Amino acid sequence: QVHLVESGGGLVQPGGSLRLSCAASGRFFRINVMGWYRQAPGKERELVANIFSGGTTDYRDPVKGRFTISRDNAKNTVYLQMNSLKPEDTAVYYCRVITNESNYWGQGTQVTVSS
């Protein structure tokens, strides 16, 4: 089993920044992919960004150039630096981790972008 703990959400004004963190703990052999998803009210959950074990990243188009995903393999932690935030970025953000055995989701952290 893998336990994920997210932190870093909150309320920020348009144009502001937030940094999300997700730390994985438990029994696993290898983490292959770490990623962030988000779900806005009334909408389906969507991928924001992924980072693979070799460091390759991919981003959903609306966040390219504004968000940066990174990982610390020694700490089994993934980060999402979010800059130039827009009201449409408002959502619950979920961490997802794919190991050699299964995939796991965090509990979600609320990000609200509003003046």
Side-chain angles (χ1 to χ4, degrees):
Q1 277 291 346
V2 174
H3 182 56
L4 302 177
V5 177
E6 302 168 3
S7 62
L11 172 65
V12 64
Q13 292 186 344
S17 298
L18 283 175
R19 188 191 194 210
L20 306 182
S21 299
C22 173
S25 61
R27 296 172 63 91
F28 52 86
F29 178 70
R30 182 179 66 248
I31 294 177
N32 294 324
V33 186
M34 306 184 86
W36 290 95
Y37 289 69
R38 67 187 182 187
Q39 187 167 17
K43 295 187 176 181
E44 294 187 353
R45 191 173 299 188
E46 63 183 20
L47 172 68
V48 176
N50 273 328
I51 184 165
F52 299 87
S53 57
T56 303
T57 59
D58 73 89
Y59 297 89
R60 184 176 175 82
D61 282 347
V63 307
K64 286 181 179 178
R66 299 187 297 123
F67 291 10
T68 302
I69 189 170
S70 60
R71 63 190 280 178
D72 184 333
N73 291 328
K75 296 181 179 179
N76 294 319
T77 300
V78 62
Y79 306 96
L80 185 68
Q81 177 66 44
M82 304 185 293
N83 298 328
S84 302
L85 282 161
K86 304 175 181 180
E88 51 263 44
D89 294 318
T90 295
V92 178
Y93 283 70
Y94 297 90
C95 170
R96 183 188 185 196
V97 168
I98 302 175
T99 71
N100 54 299
E101 295 181 335
S102 188
N103 76 102
Y104 304 88
W105 292 89
Q107 79 283 0
T109 184
Q110 178 69 46
V111 171
T112 302
V113 185
S114 175
S115 55

